Amino acid sequence: MSLIPIRPGSPFGTPPERSDAARNRERLLQAARDLVAEHGVDAVTMDMLACRADVGKGTVFRRFGSRAGLMMTLLSDAEAEFQREFIFGPPPLGPGAPPLERLIAFGEARIKYVEEYGELARAAAEHSPQNRHDAPPVVLWHRHIEMLLREAGLDRDPWLLALSLGATLDPERMLHSLRAHGVAPERLAASWRELVTRLLKDC
Amino acid sequence: MSLIPIRPGSPFGTPPERSDAARNRERLLQAARDLVAEHGVDAVTMDMLACRADVGKGTVFRRFGSRAGLMMTLLSDAEAEFQREFIFGPPPLGPGAPPLERLIAFGEARIKYVEEYGELARAAAEHSPQNRHDAPPVVLWHRHIEMLLREAGLDRDPWLLALSLGATLDPERMLHSLRAHGVAPERLAASWRELVTRLLKDC
């Protein structure tokens, strides 16, 4: 498994940008970060970004494809860090702990991630079941869960079971529990622990 | 528990319509059903409906609030039938079977429902986490799952666990597995059975 590159400069394996293009891109991203900090994710539009960065709207769309694409790019540093932690980091999130402990730690880390980046993650998946279910990072989370289920000896269709467990950790869903229902993150984490502990019992 | 009235004529407890209003509404709904049958859910717009029914666009919006509201209304008969079955129908979906058998039957019935009405259900929840997570029928499904978990003796935060199980049966998610990944409905059902059977073991 390798890190999924949704990084500025090389989204999904495109060739490296020339340095002026890279500078322009960084300027656009900084303007987008500022707008998000000032107005919140939900209020930021492509028009606002074009206006703030003093470029045409066409430039913004060519750069990011869509509003969801912009949000995905803004998320990419946090996502890369999260990937590093569960693939290479210390146990129990990283390798070296039993699969159940790693699964529990994975859910807890996802919940923390959603507390911090949930609005961005929701906006990145917006209007697109494709982004929501099949974006490269999502596929990687599911592979990780599947690998841990197999390690734990749960070998009846672990891929599909991993998709189900992934659905319970869906950013939009968890964000809704946290924000609209006022569920505390610790309570979400306890429920995840209960779910996977029961699931892996006697494997 | 009572049936959740998302029925034509009395959405969410509004007073009954006068008969000419009811006739107009039925005419609009029939036009919408025809358009869905001809073009598929995803292609139908409020403009198309206004044009087909020969009314102003404002009338259509006043009637249904939004495209999602229209789709919810189109779903309401199927939803009412589904509710009747799991609340009053014969076991194992209805009362009279052990909770694990009822849970398995509930998931199987949801999968069948999504096979038949998934596109409508997805459109009804579109652009609205509120509709997706808190529409009255969704709340009822979650209460039903929660009740069965309690009956099975699973009493550690059964409401939150019911929300997680509900997420694995989310129409958009299941539709994506069926359509984009070509997962057979029987395989989805087997995975659901495995999940809840393991979860309720030794309760």
Side-chain angles (χ1 to χ4, degrees), chain A residues 127 132-134 156-157 159-160 163-164 167-168 172-173 176 181 187 194-195 198-199 201-202, chain B residues 127 132-134 156-157 159-160 163-164 167-168 172-173 176 181 187 194-195 198-199 202-203:
Chain A
H127 312 325
R132 185 176 183 133
H133 302 290
D134 291 330
R156 260 203 227 165
D157 212 343
W159 174 70
L160 207 48
L163 292 193
S164 292
T168 74
E172 186 211 277
R173 193 187 89 80
H176 191 78
H181 292 292
R187 194 176 157 201
E194 172 85 0
L195 174 65
R198 287 195 157 273
L199 201 62
K201 204 167 49 180
D202 313 322
Chain B
H127 311 326
R132 185 175 182 135
H133 302 290
D134 291 331
R156 261 204 225 165
D157 213 343
W159 173 70
L160 208 48
L163 292 193
S164 291
T168 75
E172 186 211 278
R173 193 187 90 78
H176 191 78
H181 293 291
R187 194 176 156 201
E194 173 85 1
L195 174 65
R198 288 195 157 273
L199 200 62
D202 314 323
C203 267

Side-chain angles (χ1 to χ4, degrees), chain B residues 85-107:
Chain B
E85 283 174 10
F86 74 77
I87 300 172
F88 304 115
L93 182 54
L100 174 58
E101 282 182 39
R102 291 193 70 190
L103 258 183
I104 292 172
F106 183 80

Side-chain angles (χ1 to χ4, degrees), chain A residues 30-194:
Chain A
Q30 193 49 53
R33 283 186 210 106
D34 292 347
L35 285 170
V36 165
E38 288 163 30
H39 303 282
V41 171
D42 294 344
V44 175
T45 65
M46 300 295 259
D47 275 326
M48 281 166 80
L49 177 55
C51 179
R52 169 71 66 107
D54 201 17
V55 298
K57 199 173 164 181
T59 304
V60 176
F61 274 97
R62 266 195 308 282
R63 260 297 169 207
F64 302 109
S66 64
R67 187 177 179 275
L70 166 66
M71 298 309 173
M72 222 180 233
T73 308
L74 288 179
L75 258 186
S76 63
D77 283 347
E79 181 55 39
E81 177 56 29
F82 178 67
Q83 291 174 10
R84 258 191 297 277
E85 283 173 11
F86 74 77
I87 300 172
F88 303 117
L93 182 54
L100 175 58
E101 283 182 38
R102 292 193 71 189
L103 258 184
I104 291 172
F106 183 80
E108 287 171 350
R110 289 299 304 157
I111 292 163
K112 281 209 188 85
Y113 181 95
V114 167
E115 276 188 271
E116 194 160 355
Y117 304 107
E119 274 86 4
L120 268 180
R122 183 181 58 192
E126 221 165 43
H127 312 325
S128 168
Q130 190 63 28
N131 279 0
R132 185 176 183 133
H133 302 290
D134 291 330
V138 181
V139 171
L140 186 66
W141 308 335
H142 290 152
R143 287 228 185 101
H144 181 67
I145 297 176
E146 180 189 349
M147 183 198 72
L148 294 175
L149 292 177
R150 283 185 196 279
E151 248 185 71
L154 215 156
D155 49 10
R156 260 203 227 165
D157 212 343
W159 174 70
L160 207 48
L161 195 53
L163 292 193
S164 292
L165 290 179
T168 74
L169 298 175
D170 176 69
E172 186 211 277
R173 193 187 89 80
M174 289 201 291
L175 199 65
H176 191 78
S177 289
L178 293 167
R179 304 277 195 270
H181 292 292
V183 173
E186 298 72 27
R187 194 176 157 201
L188 273 185
S191 184
W192 167 257
R193 200 179 314 122
E194 172 85 0

